[in-house]
Amino acid sequence: MENITLHVSGMTCNHCVKAIEGSVGRLDGVDKVAVHLDKGEVVVEFDSNVISLAAIKDTIDDQGYDVN
Ligand SMILES: [Cu+2]
């Protein structure tokens, strides 16, 4: 398992938290996802043999947020 902290901008409320946790959490290979709204961070634990970091970033991007 890999653990990565992504810096995501555009997250403003609980809806954003649910949108990201829901969409990323549904991906095969993602074990845990936690959004820290106050810090603008998304912490993801995932199996890099199953899913790439790029695919996780794309999923967050598709929800309308900018991943740095
Ligand atoms: Cu929101």
Side-chain angles (χ1 to χ4, degrees):
M1 283 288 170
E2 314 237 350
N3 201 295
I4 186 104
T5 299
L6 300 169
H7 298 274
V8 179
S9 55
M11 303 186 297
T12 56
C13 68
N14 217 41
H15 166 80
C16 304
V17 174
K18 296 286 175 216
I20 291 176
E21 288 185 347
S23 59
V24 174
R26 271 197 300 274
L27 297 171
D28 280 343
V30 171
D31 192 46
K32 284 181 193 155
V33 53
V35 175
H36 301 288
L37 200 55
D38 52 333
K39 290 187 277 190
E41 290 178 354
V42 177
V43 180
V44 186
E45 200 173 302
F46 66 103
D47 184 344
S48 58
N49 293 316
V50 179
I51 189 163
S52 68
L53 179 57
I56 293 169
K57 287 181 173 178
D58 281 351
T59 298
I60 296 173
D61 195 73
D62 286 347
Q63 294 294 315
Y65 306 101
D66 287 325
V67 187
N68 307 301

